[in-house]
Amino acid sequence: MTELAINVQRLPGCHVVHLDGELDRVTRMPLARTLAALLEADRPKVVIDVTDLAFCDSCGLWALLVGQRQAERRGGTVRLVGVHGPLARLLDITRLSRLYPPDDGPAEAATWTRPRGWPS
């Protein structure tokens, strides 16, 4: 059975969601619910730290994309930090890595705003 630990931390100006374990068909719904709750605010900023994510499949990627779209509809952003392994490969293969530019850490990602004309 796959497991995913989700820990949310509040930083000035954003929430940081730390993922530890596997993000897949089985574990995507808890993440989707967490993101939906955090993205209810106006202009939300959410940083997802995937440094400790061991695995991500297409269902997990879909949960991240849905969160990204929810944030955009409210004028906010979702950023990823610590991208590596299977998730990095999925982002490259699907050409979605442009949605999640690399950051040094949560503090840097929290200050990012989508530039005018940035592709959606």
Side-chain angles (χ1 to χ4, degrees):
M1 177 173 203
T2 59
E3 292 187 27
L4 179 68
I6 302 170
N7 296 302
V8 179
Q9 176 186 12
R10 176 82 173 124
L11 291 182
C14 77
H15 285 92
V16 178
V17 179
H18 299 273
L19 302 181
D20 186 357
E22 298 182 1
L23 179 55
D24 58 20
R25 181 182 59 81
V26 175
T27 61
R28 68 182 162 81
M29 288 311 297
L31 176 61
R33 286 190 293 273
T34 299
L35 290 177
L38 294 175
L39 296 172
E40 288 179 359
D42 216 23
R43 303 179 91 55
K45 286 189 176 184
V46 175
V47 177
I48 302 174
D49 184 349
V50 295
T51 303
D52 296 321
L53 194 65
F55 178 78
C56 183
D57 70 3
S58 60
C59 291
L61 179 59
W62 183 252
L64 294 171
L65 290 172
V66 168
Q68 175 76 28
R69 297 296 185 222
Q70 288 173 335
E72 288 175 356
R73 282 194 296 273
R74 295 186 172 277
T77 59
V78 170
R79 298 296 303 269
L80 298 179
V81 295
V83 176
H84 68 284
L87 178 56
R89 181 156 167 74
L90 270 176
L91 291 172
D92 286 341
I93 289 170
T94 58
R95 298 184 185 195
L96 293 171
S97 54
R98 65 184 172 80
L99 289 178
Y100 304 104
D103 289 302
D104 290 333
E108 180 189 10
T111 63
W112 187 83
T113 57
R114 186 174 294 278
R116 184 187 316 263
W118 184 263
S120 331

